[in-house]
């Protein structure tokens, strides 16, 4: 099985830049890499993404929201993630289950355990080997999002208030505290080059570990 790496955090944390840079480094080192994102990443998932982020969907129930994110995820696992891992490829995924635990479980107040069980079904318990959590203060996230969007309207999720995003951030940190072997917390306010290096060091260690254990078998 290939290495499965996910990236989490509030919007505006610089995830996309780092995912691209890691992708470049890995392919430069001869690795086969699949890059994907949630919600979306498949034709069905992209349609679900349109619904989930559409600001005109003002009457989507919380339950529907959780299930649509989980449905997009289940399809992505089926079409993209599992096949790639089976072919020993490295999978880089922009957001995964932790996003639902934080944004829906904690943010909407549905409960992390309830959202966790729905996602256990959707993913058949497939967990990432490694997760990078890009942590930054909510205010900074909101300023960066507003700046990068310019005149483009915020999506349905971005319209939520600072209290909501504080619950999301706190839950991400709580997830990291519960699972320190998997989740690496990054201070997303640091310079891009520093973050890139830190991420690369961690990924290299994981790859060496995997390759080392294959050689000893
Ligand atoms: P993202 O692709 O990061 O947004 P953008 O293209 O604007 O950078 O994610 C879309 C939004 O969906 C983001 O605000 C986080 C939210 N989200 C959830 O609420 N729950 C989830 O399970 C996932 C995967 C994303």
């Amino acid at each position: 099985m290939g290495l499965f790496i996910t990236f989490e955090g509030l919007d505006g944390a610089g995830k996309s830049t780092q995912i691209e840079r890691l992708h470049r480094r890995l392919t430069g080192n001869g690795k086969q890499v699949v890059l994907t994102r949630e919600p979306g990443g498949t034709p069905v998932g992209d349609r679900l993404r349109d619904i989930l982020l559409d600001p005109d969907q003002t009457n989507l129930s919380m339950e529907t929201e959780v299930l649509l994110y989980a449905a997009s995820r289940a399809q992505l696992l089926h079409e993209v993630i599992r096949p790639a891992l089976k072919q020993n490829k490295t999978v880089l995924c922009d957001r995964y289950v932790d996003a639902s635990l934080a944004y829906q479980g904690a943010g909407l107040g549905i409960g992390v355990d309830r959202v966790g069980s729905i996602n256990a079904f959707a993913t058949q318990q497939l967990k990432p080997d490694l997760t990078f959590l890009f942590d930054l203060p909510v205010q900074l996230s909101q300023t960066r999002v507003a700046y990068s969007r310019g005149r483009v309207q915020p999506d349905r999720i971005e319209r939520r208030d600072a209290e909501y995003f504080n619950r999301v951030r706190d839950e991400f940190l709580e997830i990291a505290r519960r699972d320190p072997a998997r989740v690496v917390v990054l201070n997303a306010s640091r310079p891009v080059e520093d973050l890139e290096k830190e991420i690369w060091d961690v990924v290299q260690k994981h790859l060496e570990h995997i390759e080392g254990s294959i050689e000893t078998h």
Side-chain angles (χ1 to χ4, degrees):
M1 287 283 272
L3 194 63
F4 180 24
I5 308 178
T6 62
F7 301 80
E8 302 281 5
L10 296 174
D11 284 302
K15 277 185 291 120
S16 327
T17 308
Q18 294 299 337
I19 294 171
E20 274 165 32
R21 291 190 179 206
L22 177 59
H23 183 210
R24 221 177 300 145
R25 282 195 187 235
L26 284 166
T27 46
N29 273 260
K31 293 273 168 225
Q32 285 196 299
V33 187
V34 170
L35 195 81
T36 189
R37 70 154 180 193
E38 285 199 7
T42 65
V44 166
D46 285 336
R47 288 169 76 173
L48 296 174
R49 179 184 175 90
D50 287 344
I51 297 170
L52 282 162
L53 301 185
D54 180 1
D56 293 335
Q57 293 288 349
T58 51
N59 196 22
L60 210 61
S61 82
M62 293 195 293
E63 292 77 9
T64 309
E65 182 174 314
V66 174
L67 291 166
L68 292 185
Y69 276 113
S72 169
R73 183 164 298 137
Q75 191 60 27
L76 186 67
L77 280 160
H78 173 68
E79 272 187 52
V80 179
I81 299 178
R82 282 186 199 280
L85 292 175
K86 276 198 191 123
Q87 291 166 26
N88 214 14
K89 293 179 181 163
T90 303
V91 174
L92 308 182
C93 189
D94 189 347
R95 301 190 183 282
Y96 190 62
V97 173
D98 297 329
S100 283
L101 300 178
Y103 282 82
Q104 281 70 46
L108 295 179
I110 295 176
V112 171
D113 290 346
R114 285 169 78 201
V115 173
S117 347
I118 288 161
N119 276 278
F121 170 71
T123 62
Q124 296 165 348
Q125 321 255 25
L126 182 74
K127 292 206 171 69
D129 299 295
L130 187 58
T131 297
F132 289 103
L133 170 57
F134 290 68
D135 181 55
L136 87 169
V138 170
Q139 220 189 342
L140 188 55
S141 150
Q142 292 186 319
T143 314
R144 286 196 190 172
V145 169
Y147 182 76
S148 68
R149 285 217 167 259
R151 281 163 193 274
V152 180
Q153 290 295 310
D155 67 39
R156 202 177 59 87
I157 305 288
E158 285 165 356
R159 284 164 191 244
R160 293 177 176 162
D161 61 19
E163 261 177 54
Y164 171 85
F165 289 110
N166 271 310
R167 288 194 294 277
V168 174
R169 181 192 186 194
D170 289 349
E171 183 54 35
F172 273 136
L173 291 171
E174 180 57 29
I175 292 168
R177 206 189 51 76
R178 283 199 302 264
D179 199 353
R182 169 176 68 90
V183 186
V184 177
V185 182
L186 303 168
N187 173 354
S189 324
R190 287 172 52 219
V192 173
E193 274 69 31
D194 294 4
L195 287 170
E196 179 180 353
K197 188 175 177 310
E198 190 176 344
I199 291 170
W200 182 236
D201 287 347
V202 174
V203 170
Q204 265 185 316
K205 276 202 196 94
H206 271 255
L207 287 170
E208 278 161 20
H209 182 75
I210 291 180
E211 277 148 25
S213 63
I214 291 169
E215 274 159 27
T216 54
H217 274 85

